Amino acid sequence: MRSVRAGQTGLVGEPWVLHVDLDQFIAAVEVLRRPELAGRAVIVGGRGDPAERAVVSTASYEARAFGVGSGMPLRIAARKVPDAVILPVDQEAYLAASGEVMSVLRARPGATVQVLGWDEAFVGVESEDPESFARDLQHAVLEKTRLHCSVGIGDTLVRAKVATTFGKPAGVFRLTEANWLEVMGSRPTIELWGVGTKVSARLATLGITTVADLAAADPDGLVPEFGPKMGPWYAQLGRGDGARTVDDTPWVARGHSRETTFQQDLTEPGQIDDAVRELAAHVLADVAAEGRPVVGLTLKVRYAPFFTKTYARKIPRTADPAEVLAHALDLVAKMEPGRPVRLLGLRAEMAMPEDSRQGHTPTRSGW
DNA sequence: TCTGGGGTCCTAGGACCC
DNA sequence: TCTGGGGTCCTAGGACCC
């Protein structure tokens, strides 16, 4: 592992955390291979058929102007933008493009790269002029992949991540302890990375509505509402504090899952068994690719648009697909008989490698 | 208007043990 | 008859992210 710890003084300059985020990544990849789509409203989602149950993965800026955003049902999006180009999700293409971008980042001199997702990564670097480093990086990405990205610069991972928002599109923005409250203090807590609608509402009941409020909150005072870990974590988030280390330790998956939303709800018992067998085949293929045994299973069932139940079970560690399938079918027996099923999901939890560290996980843990 | 799919981690409560 | 206190494991559900 190589790592760069921001806030320490090094020989080649200060350590910095950069957060690199590709601009409208999926739509941009689609436009690259179909140049005639440039300037048009492009919506990517599901199998590209607005008549099906599916949602928007990404919308181009032209489509966003009509009020279309990710997570919106494809049907609604199509109604809002009648002449939009609607495309199916092509994961392989995005994965390939993502790989090219990450290679460019890793090739930057002195860079430590921590991948967060298809379209974003932290880059640790020691530099006297992080803005110049960021601009060079943007030029390199554009030259090699024809994709634009925005860069946030920070003295912690959280500040770098939040800074990127102010750099979009294709810009650079720096956020440190020095200007954190000036920039973020008066903004609502929901703008923080890791605070969503539920938590911001619960904070509001405590009289905490802005980032400055949260920054001033007593960490222990949040424990009764949010628990021993999350309470202090939110207070830290309000200050923009947290980890300063960009860590390129390879990520180790905890599990793999597959979900299917049915175009028509399933009602026959036989259909459900068949669906679970198919999910299990996909999940087992992903697990087998890692060569690690399965130690737990979770079956997720959506019986109605808003009613989801999960059935979980630890299983004796096994790498035998037939055994895993048998346990999965056991979980089916817990389901409510005769109730129409709209979605089924199966997740397999894998044994963690004995001798390895946990590896990096792209979550709040440790940040 | 009606909500995907792939992930991670945290919390609460019950079971069980000493 | 009534019922401590600490610990661990498991299951279910919640919240968030991309």
Side-chain angles (χ1 to χ4, degrees), chain A residues 259 299-311 343:
Chain A
E259 276 183 20
L299 183 67
K300 180 160 133 187
V301 185
R302 187 165 298 155
Y303 291 109
F306 294 97
F307 184 59
T308 302
K309 266 190 83 66
T310 57
Y311 307 99
L343 170 149

Side-chain angles (χ1 to χ4, degrees), chain A residues 99-166:
Chain A
E100 287 180 35
V101 171
M102 299 307 165
S103 298
V104 174
L105 299 186
R106 291 195 182 94
R108 296 276 91 195
T112 301
V113 178
Q114 178 175 334
V115 178
L116 283 187
W118 277 349
D119 62 343
E120 59 177 309
F122 285 120
V123 176
V125 68
E126 294 187 359
S127 170
E128 283 172 352
D129 186 353
E131 274 78 7
S132 290
F133 188 91
R135 293 289 179 195
D136 289 349
L137 190 153
Q138 286 174 318
H139 290 142
V141 170
L142 183 60
E143 187 188 328
K144 301 248 169 48
T145 69
R146 296 181 292 155
L147 293 167
H148 290 273
C149 62
S150 304
V151 180
I153 299 171
D155 52 353
T156 66
L157 302 191
V158 165
R159 293 197 185 109
K161 167 79 183 177
V162 173
T164 308
T165 329
F166 302 103

Side-chain angles (χ1 to χ4, degrees), chain A residues 36 61 96 162 268 305 350 354:
Chain A
E36 71 275 15
Y61 289 134
V162 173
E268 304 296 323
M350 295 179 290
E354 291 287 339

Side-chain angles (χ1 to χ4, degrees), chain A residues 144-311:
Chain A
K144 301 248 169 48
T145 69
R146 296 181 292 155
L147 293 167
H148 290 273
C149 62
S150 304
V151 180
I153 299 171
D155 52 353
T156 66
L157 302 191
V158 165
R159 293 197 185 109
K161 167 79 183 177
V162 173
T164 308
T165 329
F166 302 103
K168 281 191 170 291
V172 176
F173 194 87
R174 187 201 287 214
L175 207 45
T176 65
E177 187 176 9
N179 65 344
W180 171 257
L181 278 184
E182 178 194 323
V183 175
M184 290 296 294
S186 62
R187 292 175 175 268
T189 57
I190 199 167
E191 292 192 16
L192 291 167
W193 181 36
V195 175
T197 52
K198 306 289 182 177
V199 169
S200 63
R202 284 164 74 187
L203 285 167
T205 67
L206 302 176
I208 297 167
T209 60
T210 67
V211 172
D213 293 340
L214 189 54
D218 172 17
D220 293 331
L222 298 176
V223 169
E225 176 65 26
F226 296 105
K229 292 220 171 189
M230 299 312 287
W233 158 259
Y234 290 129
Q236 189 185 58
L237 209 53
R239 301 191 306 270
D241 275 345
R244 295 165 184 269
T245 305
V246 176
D247 181 347
D248 64 359
T249 306
W251 171 65
V252 179
R254 271 67 175 154
H256 289 294
S257 66
R258 262 321 208 272
E259 276 183 20
T260 319
T261 299
F262 305 108
Q263 293 301 316
Q264 270 86 40
D265 294 359
L266 300 189
T267 49
E268 304 296 323
Q271 295 177 318
I272 292 172
D273 272 14
D274 288 348
V276 168
R277 282 195 178 86
E278 195 178 327
L279 288 173
H282 284 120
V283 169
L284 284 163
D286 287 349
V287 167
E290 305 214 25
R292 289 154 60 197
V294 176
V295 295
L297 288 172
T298 304
L299 183 67
K300 180 160 133 187
V301 185
R302 187 165 298 155
Y303 291 109
F306 294 97
F307 184 59
T308 302
K309 266 190 83 66
T310 57
Y311 307 99

Side-chain angles (χ1 to χ4, degrees), chain A residues 55-79:
Chain A
V55 296
V56 175
S57 287
T58 301
S60 68
Y61 289 134
E62 291 81 3
R64 290 179 204 186
F66 287 86
V68 173
S70 7
M72 176 180 291
L74 213 49
R75 190 177 305 145
I76 309 301
R79 203 174 298 159

